[in-house]
Amino acid sequence: MGTLSRIVGPNVRLVDLSDSEKAGQGAREESATQTVSWDGYQCPICWKEFDGDSSELVMSEHVEICLTRSHQSRPKKQRSLLNTMTRSCDSTVVQNGKANFSDQANLLDGRDVSVEPQPAGNDGMSFETQIVGRRFCGKHAVNKGDEFKLVWDKNNRYDPNATLAVTWDGTGSLGYVPRVVAAKLGPLLKAGIVQGRGILLHEPLGNKNVSARISLSFVKAPSSFGSKDDCIKELAEVAEIHRLDKDSSVYSARLLQRVHQVLDVVEKIESKALGDNDKRFKVLFQSQGSTGQILFASLAQKQKTYFSIHFLENRYSKDVTASLRELCDHGLLAVVHMKESLSSGANNAPSRDAETIKSILCDVFQKKELIDIIEEIKGSNFEAEALMHDVSSKRLRSKKKDELIGYVVSCLTSKHSESRDATMKVILNVAGDIFEVSKEYRQSFHRIQRLFFLNEGHSLGTWEAVESGHIRYPSYAITREQEVFPNRKLFLDYERSLFAAERLVHAIQEQDFKSIEYHLAPAWELLDRQENKMSDSNGLQPPFYMQYHSKWIYCIMATVGVGILERKKEYKLAIERLQQLLGGIYCKERRGYWWIRLSINLEHIGRPTDSLEIAETALADPSVRPDERLTLQRRILKLAKPPRRWKKPSWAKLMPKDPNVLVIEGNPLENTRGGKSRFLGYDSCVCSVEQLALQYYASDEGGCYQGIHSEGGIWCTIFSLLLWPALFQPLPNVFRTPFQTAPLDLGFPGFYESRKSTIDQILHDVRQGNGPFLVERCWRDNYGVTVRGISWEKYDLATIQSIISCVGGAGIAAVCSLMCEDYSSWTGGMPDLLLWRPETQSAKLSEVKGPRDTLSDKQRAWISFLETSGIDVEVLKVKEPPKNKRKMKFSL
C-alpha cells in the first residue's frame, strides 16, 4: 500500500481515455465513473484550505514545501520534470535544479537577478524586502519610518527558520521576513553570527505586506556557513528572487518558458509516445500569441473546467478578449451556451444534464456570489420564491455550497419557462460569458507533462518552487540515451495503470471493499493472461526503467490484493495469485515476500509439507533478500521436524544467535487498546518506550550515553552525505530531470556495480578515519539541498561528526556498503536507538521492545550484521513490574 501511494503521488492527473483507448475496460469504466463536486481543496500535509480559484501550480508548490518541512517521505517513484535541456544536445548540466541553457532567451526581459548587495558598513550588508504575515502578529500600530530589529522565532512550529521583526523596544511584533529569505537569515541569527535591524519604507495598509530595508552586521565569523562573502551573496540572491517572484510579468515569462521547454523536450525525447491529438495540440498552442499561451497554460493547470469572463479579466488582464477569441477559434477553449443547451435540441446544441450544470456553477461562482444570485432570483421570480420559501437570507449563509447550487439548479430546470429565463438572466448578468477548457486538448497538455515529469508528484509548480528559492535540488549532469516509452501503446498502458492504482489507493483509504475488488480487476486480468511473464522492453532498456511499465504497477497492485484476500481468509485464491506472481519477471525485489506469504498460506489451509517444500525452494532464489532468507530459514526449522525431515539442514549451525538482551522495569500507564505503549519516565513525565530507554541510557546506570531515536533516519543521512559524489556521478539515463533527489537506479540491481570504483574509494577514506571531514565538506557545499534520506534540520553537523567518530570508520563503512548493495531493503529495520559517548569514543545501537513486542526477522538480520561488523548492539526489553509493586496507575 505504501509503495502504491508513492507511485501515484499527491496530485496524480487523471486523464480520461478516448474511446479507442478504452479497450479492455468496457463496462467497468462506466460503472466506476463518478462525478465529484469541488468546493475547495485542502493540503494533505497541513490541511490548509484553498478556494476553488487556486491553481494546481499554487497547490503543488505548497505541498512540496510542506513535504520538505515535515520530513514526510515523498513518492519513491521518480517524480520529475524531464530535464529542461538545450535544443542542440541531449546533455545538460543542472545546478540546484536549474538547467543552464546555452541559447536560452532572457526570462526577465533584461533584468539581472544577481544584484550586488549594498554595503552597511565594513562588516555587513543591506537589502530591500517585505515584512509579511502581519495578520499573525497582533494589532501593533506601525508607521512609515518605524525601526525594528530581527530575532529568530524559536517557538514557530511551522518554520524552524522563521525570522520575526519586532519593535525596537521589544514590546510588539510587526511581521515576518519572507520564508525564502528567512531560510538563509534564520540560521545566522540563531547561531548569533549576525544582528539585524530595519526600517519600514511605506505606510502599511491594515495587515497588508509592507516594504522594508534590512541592515545586517556580522558579529562573528560564520565558520559553519562558509565565508562572510558567501553569506552576503546568498542573502542578496534570495532577497532578489523573492522580489522577482512577486512580479506577475516575471512569473508569466517563466511559465511560458517552461511550457515551451516541456513541449520541445518531449517531442525530441519521447516523440514515439505522442498521438495525433498531442501533436495537433502542440501546433495549435504554439500558433497562439504569448498572452493566449500563458492564458491556456494557466487555466489548464487549474482543477476547474469552466471560467467566467469577469474572473479572467480580474485575474489576468482586462484586455483578454482578443486572446480568448483566438483560443476559441482554434478549439483550445469553447464558449458555454448555457441558455441554449438547457433545452434538448435547442439551436442544434446538445442538452446539458443537471450534473454538468452543477459543475459549471461550482467552478464559476463562489459561495457569496451564489447567495447574491439566489437573493436576486427570489426577489424577481415568483416560481423561485415558491421553491425556496422556507430559506431566509440568514439561513442561506449557513448553507453549504452544494446546497446553494441545488437551489439554483432547481430553478434552471423548472418546468416553467419564465422561471428558467429569469434565473438564466441573473446568472449571465453576474458571470458574463463562460468559457470551457477543451477536454481533448487539456488531456493532451497533461499527457505531455506526464512524459516530461515521469512522475505524479511533480508539476510546473515544482519548477516555480525552485525558481522562487523554496526548494533546491542537487547539481548533476543529465544524459538521455534511451527513451522511456518505445511506443505509444506502452505509454497508454502505463497511464491506465496509474489511473487504476490511484483509484485502488482511494478505495482502500475509504474501506470500500466493493470498489477495491473492482479496481483490482486489471491486475488479476494481467495475471490470468500471464502477461507478467513477458517483458515490455526490447531487452536493451536498463532494469530501472521497469518502474515505468504498466505490468510493474499491476504486480504491485496484485501484491496489495493478496494481502486483502488474506484478510478475508480466502487463502486458496491468495495462493493461486502468489504462484502467478512468482511465475513472472516483474518486481523481483518482492519475490522473497511472495515466497514467505505462499508458505504461510499453505500452512493456513492445512498443507504443512507443501509449506516446507516452498520455503526450501525459495532459499535457492537469488532475488530473496537476507532478512527474507532468515524468515524462510526460521520457517524451515519450525516445520522440518520428524517425520517430515529427520536431519537438520547444513546451514542450521550458521543461523544468527539470539542477541544480548538487557531488561529494565518501566511503570506503565493504562493505554487504550491498539494504541502505543506509554510509561512514566524517570523525569515523572509521560513518555514512549523509546523515550524511556533514552532516559535510562542517559543515567549513570545506563552508561551516560548521548542518544537519538532515529531508526534508519540518521543512517540514511550519513549515507547520502558520505556517498554524495557516487550518488550524483554522471551515468547514462539515471538523471533525466533537474528535480531528482537521487539517481533512478538507487535501490535497483546494478547501483553499486556501475559506481564501484567511486564507492570503494569513498569507503576506503571512511575506514581511514576521514568520515567527519567528508561529511563537513558535503554539508558546507550542499546545505539545504533536497536529497533522499537527508534531514538537514533534524541533525546538526557536530552531532553527525561525533556519531561517525564514535561508531568508527570500519563500522560506518560496513553499513554504507550494505546500503549500496540494496538500498530499498536495508533502509528499514535498523535498531531504534543510536547511542554514543564522546568521552570514550564509543557507541552502541539498541533495539527497544515493550512488554509485548518481539523482534522481526529484518531486525534480527540487522543485529546479526552489526555484530559481525564489530558494532556494539543489544536489545533493551522494558518489562512491567508485578501489579502489586506498581507505584501508581494513570488513565490516558
Side-chain angles (χ1 to χ4, degrees), residues 754-768:
S754 60
R755 303 165 175 82
K756 188 177 185 303
S757 59
T758 304
I759 292 175
D760 288 348
Q761 181 60 50
I762 293 173
L763 296 183
H764 173 75
D765 293 341
V766 172
R767 292 188 189 96
Q768 296 300 313

Side-chain angles (χ1 to χ4, degrees), residues 446-680:
H446 284 171
R447 275 184 170 144
I448 290 173
Q449 286 189 77
R450 177 168 284 122
L451 285 167
F452 186 83
F453 294 110
L454 278 181
N455 173 278
E456 303 308 313
H458 279 175
S459 67
L460 292 174
T462 306
W463 218 331
E464 178 60 24
V466 171
E467 293 288 350
S468 61
H470 291 298
I471 303 176
R472 292 171 58 205
Y473 286 92
S475 302
Y476 45 77
I478 294 177
T479 56
R480 307 182 188 91
E481 296 184 358
Q482 275 183 298
E483 70 274 6
V484 176
F485 301 102
N487 56 67
R488 180 168 175 77
K489 180 181 180 303
L490 292 180
F491 173 61
L492 294 180
D493 289 343
Y494 170 71
E495 199 170 58
R496 292 190 192 96
S497 66
L498 283 177
F499 182 92
E502 193 275 341
R503 293 303 188 193
L504 177 60
V505 170
H506 179 74
I508 293 174
Q509 291 171 345
E510 296 295 325
Q511 294 292 301
D512 185 350
F513 289 99
K514 185 176 180 180
S515 296
I516 290 173
E517 292 179 3
Y518 164 77
H519 293 300
L520 279 172
W524 299 146
E525 291 173 3
L526 176 87
L527 298 182
D528 292 337
R529 294 193 299 266
Q530 299 185 0
E531 292 183 8
N532 62 320
K533 296 182 178 181
M534 299 173 287
S535 174
D536 281 338
S537 66
N538 52 16
L540 301 177
Q541 286 188 320
F544 51 86
Y545 272 18
M546 277 195 172
Q547 60 192 302
Y548 300 113
H549 292 184
S550 61
K551 296 176 182 178
W552 189 81
I553 296 177
Y554 283 136
C555 285
I556 294 178
M557 291 173 61
T559 304
V560 175
V562 167
I564 294 172
L565 291 175
E566 291 173 344
R567 287 178 59 187
K568 296 164 66 177
K569 297 187 178 181
E570 297 180 10
Y571 298 120
K572 291 185 178 180
L573 185 54
I575 289 171
E576 179 184 348
R577 296 306 185 189
L578 287 167
Q579 290 172 336
Q580 291 173 326
L581 286 168
L582 285 166
I585 61 174
Y586 286 88
C587 297
K588 291 185 177 180
E589 70 279 2
R590 297 182 179 273
R591 291 184 63 83
Y593 173 78
W594 295 338
W595 283 116
I596 293 169
R597 298 313 308 173
L598 179 57
S599 176
I600 292 173
N601 290 334
L602 285 169
E603 189 177 8
H604 281 322
I605 63 173
R607 295 166 57 184
T609 302
D610 292 337
S611 175
L612 173 59
E613 291 176 354
I614 286 295
E616 291 173 336
T617 302
L619 290 181
D621 190 335
S623 298
V624 175
R625 290 168 164 170
D627 58 300
E628 296 163 340
R629 187 174 300 277
L630 180 59
T631 302
L632 291 166
Q633 289 174 335
R634 287 166 60 85
R635 283 196 60 78
I636 291 172
L637 293 178
K638 172 188 172 183
L639 297 170
K641 295 179 180 179
R644 297 190 196 102
R645 298 290 185 272
W646 293 97
K647 292 183 179 181
K648 287 187 176 182
S650 57
W651 44 258
K653 296 180 180 180
L654 303 177
M655 288 285 290
K657 299 179 180 179
D658 290 336
N660 296 327
V661 179
L662 173 66
V663 181
I664 66 172
E665 282 191 358
N667 195 13
L669 306 177
E670 293 293 334
N671 299 286
T672 57
R673 180 171 294 180
K676 189 173 177 62
S677 298
R678 289 289 183 266
F679 294 84
L680 188 65

Side-chain angles (χ1 to χ4, degrees), residues 48 51 84 86 189 248 289 356-357 361 405 495 548 576 585 700 832 849 882 890:
K48 176 180 177 180
D51 60 31
T84 52
T86 61
L189 289 170
S248 60
T356 304
I357 296 174
L361 295 175
I405 291 174
E495 199 170 58
Y548 300 113
E576 179 184 348
I585 61 174
D700 293 338
D832 295 310
K849 291 300 175 185
F890 294 88

Side-chain angles (χ1 to χ4, degrees), residues 60-205:
S60 295
E61 177 181 349
H62 176 83
V63 172
E64 289 285 348
I65 296 169
C66 275
L67 286 169
T68 303
R69 185 171 64 235
S70 63
H71 305 295
Q72 293 197 14
S73 65
R74 302 177 53 187
K76 179 179 177 180
K77 184 101 173 133
Q78 285 64 33
R79 36 259 260 241
S80 350
L81 284 157
L82 251 188
N83 163 46
T84 52
M85 57 177 292
T86 61
R87 296 171 184 153
S88 59
C89 66
D90 290 341
S91 180
T92 308
V93 175
V94 179
Q95 296 179 348
N96 296 331
K98 302 178 184 179
N100 294 329
F101 294 89
S102 58
D103 58 349
Q104 179 178 347
N106 192 340
L107 286 179
L108 306 179
D109 301 326
R111 305 183 207 195
D112 185 8
V113 177
S114 57
V115 296
E116 289 296 327
Q118 297 187 19
N122 296 330
D123 294 317
M125 63 171 293
S126 66
F127 57 88
E128 288 188 15
T129 185
Q130 287 187 316
I131 302 301
V132 301
R134 299 192 62 244
R135 66 182 182 275
F136 305 113
C137 297
K139 298 182 179 180
H140 186 84
V142 293
N143 300 294
K144 177 181 178 181
D146 284 356
E147 294 188 352
F148 58 87
K149 58 184 177 181
L150 299 178
V151 296
W152 171 57
D153 187 3
K154 63 180 179 180
N155 297 321
N156 192 302
R157 62 191 180 95
Y158 299 104
D159 182 5
N161 299 316
T163 301
L164 192 62
V166 301
T167 56
W168 198 249
D169 58 5
T171 59
S173 56
L174 311 183
Y176 290 89
V177 171
R179 177 186 294 273
V180 65
V181 180
K184 295 293 183 184
L185 181 56
L188 297 176
L189 289 170
K190 177 182 177 181
I193 294 173
V194 300
Q195 292 179 348
R197 59 185 298 174
I199 184 171
L200 299 182
L201 300 179
H202 300 97
E203 194 76 23
L205 299 175

Side-chain angles (χ1 to χ4, degrees), residues 344-446:
S344 179
N347 295 331
N348 297 322
S351 64
R352 295 183 183 269
D353 57 23
E355 291 300 325
T356 304
I357 296 174
K358 288 181 181 179
S359 297
I360 295 174
L361 295 175
C362 182
D363 285 356
V364 172
F365 299 110
Q366 296 296 314
K367 182 177 177 179
K368 183 178 182 301
E369 294 174 319
L370 288 170
I371 293 175
D372 294 340
I373 289 173
I374 292 173
E375 293 283 5
E376 188 171 349
I377 292 173
K378 289 175 63 179
S380 60
N381 185 349
F382 177 79
E383 176 69 21
E385 182 72 31
L387 287 171
M388 296 178 286
H389 67 279
D390 61 333
V391 183
S392 63
S393 299
K394 185 176 181 180
R395 290 187 62 186
L396 280 176
R397 289 191 291 272
S398 65
K399 296 290 183 182
K400 293 182 179 180
K401 187 174 181 180
D402 285 343
E403 295 178 284
L404 299 176
I405 291 174
Y407 288 135
V408 178
V409 171
S410 64
C411 294
L412 285 172
T413 57
S414 171
K415 297 180 180 179
H416 302 279
S417 59
E418 294 181 359
S419 176
R420 294 198 305 269
D421 293 342
T423 304
M424 182 57 63
K425 182 179 179 180
V426 174
I427 290 175
L428 294 179
N429 285 340
V430 175
D433 291 334
I434 298 175
F435 296 88
E436 176 184 6
V437 179
S438 167
K439 183 178 180 180
E440 176 185 8
Y441 292 129
R442 188 178 199 165
Q443 290 176 1
S444 294
F445 187 52
H446 284 171

